């Protein structure tokens, strides 16, 4: 696995998701339209696409067997516009 610095993060500690959680960094929204109009920050929509930075080990089923997660670090995923929990880490 790549270190957080190699993934473009400038953090002193790493964030490790638990169970079946993943950590996603949203991709930047388009700054201009196809016709060249600049979109102000107040009019931009919340991004729905991002890159997976970290993946938890998966959850356990009823028999105690771990169910792995279908995504891996570096995958680009689409997620619900208002889904998940937003975290700001500095």
């Amino acid at each position: 696995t790549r270190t957080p610095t190699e993934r473009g993060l400038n953090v002193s500690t790493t964030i490790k998701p638990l169970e079946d959680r993943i950590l996603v960094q949203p991709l930047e929204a388009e700054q201009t339209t196809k016709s060249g109009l600049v979109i102000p920050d107040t009019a931009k929509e919340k991004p729905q696409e991002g890159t997976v930075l970290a993946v938890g080990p998966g959850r356990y089923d009823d028999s105690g067997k771990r169910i792995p997660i279908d995504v891996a670090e570096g995958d680009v995923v689409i997620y619900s516009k208002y889904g998940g929990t937003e975290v700001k880490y500095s």
Side-chain angles (χ1 to χ4, degrees):
T1 32
R2 298 181 325 183
T3 65
T5 305
E6 292 171 339
R7 290 193 304 256
L9 295 176
N10 185 14
V11 293
S12 58
T13 59
T14 56
I15 298 174
K16 176 95 173 123
L18 302 176
E19 298 294 324
D20 58 349
R21 308 279 180 151
I22 63 173
L23 181 64
V24 177
Q25 181 176 22
L27 295 178
E28 291 294 321
E30 290 290 325
Q31 300 291 329
T32 57
T33 63
K34 291 180 183 179
S35 61
L37 296 175
V38 177
I39 303 171
D41 289 336
T42 55
K44 289 183 187 172
E45 286 194 17
K46 199 170 181 181
Q48 292 181 274
E49 190 175 10
T51 304
V52 177
L53 298 179
V55 179
R59 64 179 176 87
Y60 290 101
D61 64 8
D62 293 335
S63 63
K65 183 177 166 187
R66 189 173 293 275
I67 301 170
I69 298 179
D70 294 335
V71 296
E73 291 181 18
D75 288 353
V76 175
V77 295
I78 297 174
Y79 54 90
S80 174
K81 188 181 285 190
Y82 298 104
T85 303
E86 189 171 324
V87 177
K88 293 190 182 211
Y89 187 79
S90 54

